[in-house]
Amino acid sequence: MAPRQQEHLAHLASCLPFAQAAQMLGDLLGVQVSTETARRLTEQMGAWMDVAQTEASLAPPSETRKDVPAPKLRVVSADGAMISLVHKQWVEVRTVAIGESVSKPDPNRKPATQEIHVDHLSYFSHLSGAATFTALAKGEMQRRKVAQATQVCAVTDGAEWCQAFAERYRPDAVRILDFPHAAEHVSALLEGCTQAGIQLPDQMLSRCLHVLKHRGPRPLLRMANHLGSDLLQQKGIQEHLDYLRKREPLMQYPTFREHGWPIGSGMVESANKLVVQARLKGSGMHWQRDHVNPMLALRNAVCNERWQEMWRKALTKALKQAYLSREPCCESQPQSRSRSFRLRDRSCLPEPSSPSLLSSTASQELAPPVSSLETTAPVVVSHETHLPSRERSCRPGRSLAASSSQRLGQDTCLCGGPLRRQKGHRPKRYCSGRCRQRAYRERQGHIMRRMTPLPLVPPTRHSRSMHPCGRRQQKKKERSVPKRVNDLFHRAGGVQGETCLFCGAELVQLRGRRRGGRQRAYCSGRCRQRAYRERTA
C-alpha cells in the first residue's frame, strides 16, 4: 500500500469497524486488504499518533505572541465513560472537552430569552489514571490557551479528580456543579423522605428543581434543616444531604447564568458519545487494553478536525524511530550517507514498545517517552516524502575503487564503515549495495579513461543499386568506428588470456575451469553482448 492509501485506511478505520473500513477502501480505491491487515496498520499508526500527542503534552509551553489577543471565555468540562475490555473487564476512559461560551437568543420562547451555548469544541480522551490523564491533557489545554483566557469556568460533576483537574490548570476558575447531577441527588433525597413516611405534595421534585435553578440551593437546605434529627440520621437521607451541603458554592445557578456561564455538562457528555462510545462501544466490541489509546488518539484527531496535522506528526515519529532503530554503518563518521525508505516498507516501522508510555499511577511530572526522539533534530515529513537519509562520508582522498590491500582492516568497508560477518558466509567487501555500485562505476570510469580513443573513419557516399525485382536496394552503411572487437577476436583465435576484448579490463579466471577449455574472452556478459552486436551489425 502507498502511504496515501494507508492514510485513507486509518481514517476509515477510525470511524468504522475494521471489516467495514477494509470493504470501503476496496469500493472507493480498489485496494483489497484483509480485516486483520486493516486492524494492524490502523493500530500501529494510532500508537505513533498517541506518542506524538504525548510528547506535545510533555513539551514546554510555547511563548505567547503579544500581537495575538488572549481568548475571553473558556469552558472546561471533564468526565469519564466505561468501555469493555476482553475477559469481561470494564474500565473508565476519561475525557475533557474545551469550548467557548456564547449567548444566543432562543426564538421558541416568548419573550425571546438568551440561551447559553458552548461552541468551538475540542476533545482529549485517554485511558489512564486520574493523575496521568491530568498530566497528558496539558497539550490540549495549551493549544486552546486555557491559561491565557480572561475567564474560565469548569462545569463538572462532584468527582474529586474533576475538581483536582480544574485546580491544576486554573485555580481561579469558576466551579460549577453539573445541574443534572445535583437534580439526581435532590430526587434521591425526596425519595428517601417518602420511604421514611413523610407525605410530600405532588410535583415536589419539579418545584424543588425550579427553586434550585432560579433561586439557588439555600431555600432547599433551609427546608431540609426542619426535618427531625432521627430522620436526618437515616442513610438514604444523610448521604445526599451532606453531598448538597458540601457543594453549596458550586450550585449558585442564578449567579452563573447572569454571567453567561453554562450550568450543564452536556458538552462532555456528548464528547463521551462522539469520541469514545461511537467507535469503542459498539455491539459486541471488546478491546485489548494496549489498543484503546491508539484508537482514542485517532478519534481525537478526527473529532478535533486535525487529521492532517496529527497524521504528519505520527508519520514523522514512525519514520524517525525506524531511522534510529537501524544500526548505523559508520559510527565513527559524523556524517551519514543517503539511504531512504518509504512508509510502505513495513519491516522498517517497529511497533512502539509501550503506546501509552505512561503509568496510570504517575503523580508527578512525567519523563519523555523516548529519549532519542527528544535529542534528535525534528524532521518534517509530508505524506509521500522520504525520510532525510543518512550520509556516510568516505575518507578524504580515498576512492571506493581502491584495492582490497588498501583496506583499514578485514571488518571495514572501502568507505570506512564496519562490515557485518555472518557465520558460514563469504566475507563481505562492501557494507551495502550502494558502495558496491559506486566502486563498480569508478572502476569502469577508470578503465574507460585508460582506453585511447580510436580514429574515426569519415563516412563514405553510399551507392544504390537496383534489385532484380525493380526495387532500390541500399547497401549497409559503413561504420564510422572500425570493427576492432571482431578483428581482435579472430586475430587471437577466440582466446584471450588476461584482458577483455571489448573494454581491455583485466580478466579474473574462474576456478575449476575444465582442462583444455577456452579461457574467458570478456570480463562480463555485457561486454560479450556489445561485442556480439558490433559483429552482427
Side-chain angles (χ1 to χ4, degrees):
M1 295 177 61
R4 190 69 174 178
Q5 295 173 350
Q6 185 172 351
E7 178 187 356
H8 293 328
L9 177 61
H11 202 164
L12 289 173
S14 63
C15 302
L16 301 173
F18 297 118
Q20 297 181 12
Q23 182 180 0
M24 185 67 68
L25 186 69
D27 296 339
L28 296 177
L29 303 180
V31 179
Q32 302 296 330
V33 294
S34 62
T35 304
E36 183 62 23
T37 301
R39 183 198 63 79
R40 177 176 57 84
L41 296 180
T42 302
E43 291 175 350
Q44 182 179 359
M45 293 309 299
W48 287 114
M49 194 174 293
D50 185 26
V51 172
Q53 71 178 6
T54 300
E55 291 188 356
S57 63
L58 299 176
S62 59
E63 297 182 359
T64 58
R65 297 175 53 182
K66 297 181 179 180
D67 55 344
V68 178
K72 295 182 179 181
L73 303 178
R74 281 288 185 266
V75 181
V76 180
S77 183
D79 198 6
M82 305 299 291
I83 64 171
S84 175
L85 301 182
V86 294
H87 308 301
K88 300 181 180 180
Q89 297 181 3
W90 288 85
V91 292
E92 183 181 13
V93 174
R94 291 176 170 84
T95 303
V96 58
I98 307 171
E100 299 178 4
S101 179
V102 179
S103 297
K104 298 181 180 180
D106 188 4
N108 297 328
R109 295 187 178 183
K110 296 181 181 180
T113 58
Q114 295 291 328
E115 289 291 333
I116 301 173
H117 299 272
V118 181
D119 296 338
H120 305 289
L121 291 170
S122 64
Y123 316 100
F124 175 76
S125 300
H126 204 269
L127 174 59
S128 56
T132 305
F133 175 80
T134 304
L136 291 179
K138 178 181 177 181
E140 187 64 22
M141 300 289 282
Q142 289 179 355
R143 191 181 71 86
R144 296 302 305 271
K145 298 181 180 181
V146 176
Q148 291 79 21
T150 305
Q151 294 180 353
V152 178
C153 81
V155 185
T156 59
D157 55 10
E160 296 294 337
W161 73 269
C162 295
Q163 303 300 325
F165 183 89
E167 181 68 24
R168 171 167 180 174
Y169 291 105
R170 285 300 295 259
D172 59 338
V174 178
R175 311 288 181 84
I176 301 176
L177 179 65
D178 181 30
F179 185 80
H181 284 81
E184 290 181 3
H185 288 274
V186 172
S187 176
L189 178 61
L190 296 178
E191 185 179 356
C193 294
T194 303
Q195 294 178 357
I198 300 179
Q199 296 294 333
L200 298 177
D202 297 339
Q203 300 180 353
M204 183 65 180
L205 177 61
S206 59
R207 295 179 182 179
C208 292
L209 296 182
H210 181 81
V211 171
L212 178 63
K213 184 176 183 180
H214 296 279
R215 298 175 58 187
R218 184 63 60 86
L220 298 181
L221 295 178
R222 285 201 302 264
M223 292 173 56
N225 293 333
H226 293 292
L227 298 176
S229 59
D230 297 339
L231 187 62
L232 293 176
Q233 293 179 358
Q234 294 185 8
K235 183 177 180 180
I237 298 177
Q238 184 68 28
E239 179 182 358
H240 299 289
L241 189 59
D242 292 342
Y243 182 91
L244 296 176
R245 287 175 177 174
K246 182 179 180 180
R247 293 163 177 80
E248 181 181 358
L250 309 181
M251 295 186 296
Q252 305 298 326
Y253 299 119
T255 305
F256 298 150
R257 296 183 64 189
E258 289 178 2
H259 290 83
W261 296 119
I263 60 174
S265 61
M267 50 185 294
V268 72
E269 297 294 340
S270 62
N272 289 331
K273 297 179 180 179
L274 178 64
V275 181
V276 182
Q277 298 178 5
R279 182 62 183 90
L280 281 80
K281 205 172 181 181
S283 177
M285 288 186 181
H286 306 281
W287 296 81
Q288 292 282 351
R289 191 180 186 91
D290 297 339
H291 299 164
V292 174
N293 286 331
M295 183 55 65
L296 289 175
L298 297 175
R299 294 295 300 169
N300 291 332
V302 171
C303 297
N304 294 339
E305 298 181 357
R306 300 175 59 206
W307 176 262
Q308 297 295 334
E309 176 187 354
M310 296 304 299
W311 179 263
R312 292 192 187 98
K313 290 182 179 180
L315 185 61
T316 302
K317 294 301 177 184
L319 294 179
K320 187 187 297 184
Q321 182 64 21
Y323 171 76
L324 296 174
S325 63
R326 300 180 65 178
E327 182 178 355
C329 295
C330 183
E331 299 179 356
S332 60
Q333 299 295 335
Q335 300 178 356
S336 57
R337 197 183 60 180
S338 176
R339 179 177 296 176
S340 60
F341 47 88
R342 287 181 177 272
L343 177 62
R344 60 171 172 260
D345 299 332
R346 298 294 183 271
S347 58
C348 69
L349 293 181
E351 291 284 351
S353 57
S354 57
S356 62
L357 302 173
L358 301 166
S359 62
S360 59
T361 58
S363 58
Q364 55 186 359
E365 199 64 31
L366 304 173
V370 183
S371 59
S372 59
L373 297 179
E374 298 296 333
T375 58
T376 308
V379 181
V380 180
V381 182
S382 62
H383 296 79
E384 300 178 359
T385 56
H386 290 221
L387 178 71
S389 52
R390 297 183 292 180
E391 299 179 352
R392 286 197 304 268
S393 63
C394 300
R395 299 179 61 186
R398 184 181 181 88
S399 174
L400 284 175
S403 61
S404 59
S405 60
Q406 299 177 354
R407 293 188 188 181
L408 297 177
Q410 295 182 353
D411 296 338
T412 306
C413 178
L414 295 178
C415 66
L419 296 177
R420 292 184 180 181
R421 290 295 186 93
Q422 297 182 0
K423 187 176 181 181
H425 292 265
R426 186 177 61 182
K428 292 185 177 181
R429 295 184 58 185
Y430 308 99
C431 62
S432 63
R434 191 178 294 270
C435 284
R436 184 180 296 104
Q437 294 175 3
R438 292 180 61 185
Y440 172 76
R441 286 194 295 267
E442 291 196 10
R443 286 198 305 269
Q444 295 298 324
H446 179 66
I447 292 171
M448 297 303 294
R449 286 193 299 270
R450 288 193 307 172
M451 295 178 58
T452 58
L454 297 176
L456 299 179
V457 178
T460 59
R461 186 179 299 275
H462 304 289
S463 60
R464 295 184 179 182
S465 61
M466 295 298 295
H467 194 266
C469 298
R471 293 178 301 177
R472 286 188 176 183
Q473 183 181 11
Q474 184 179 0
K475 293 183 179 180
K476 294 183 179 180
K477 298 181 180 180
E478 297 183 3
R479 296 177 58 85
S480 60
V481 180
K483 300 180 181 180
R484 62 179 183 85
V485 176
N486 193 14
D487 298 340
L488 290 175
F489 186 80
H490 290 287
R491 192 182 308 157
V495 178
Q496 184 67 15
E498 298 180 355
T499 59
C500 178
L501 289 177
F502 186 81
C503 63
E506 296 182 359
L507 297 178
V508 179
Q509 300 298 336
L510 300 177
R511 296 181 180 179
R513 182 173 56 86
R514 292 185 302 175
R515 181 175 299 179
R518 292 173 53 179
Q519 298 179 351
R520 297 182 61 183
Y522 304 99
C523 61
S524 63
R526 181 173 297 180
C527 288
R528 182 181 297 104
Q529 293 175 2
R530 291 178 178 177
Y532 174 77
R533 286 194 292 267
E534 288 195 5
R535 290 197 305 271
T536 58

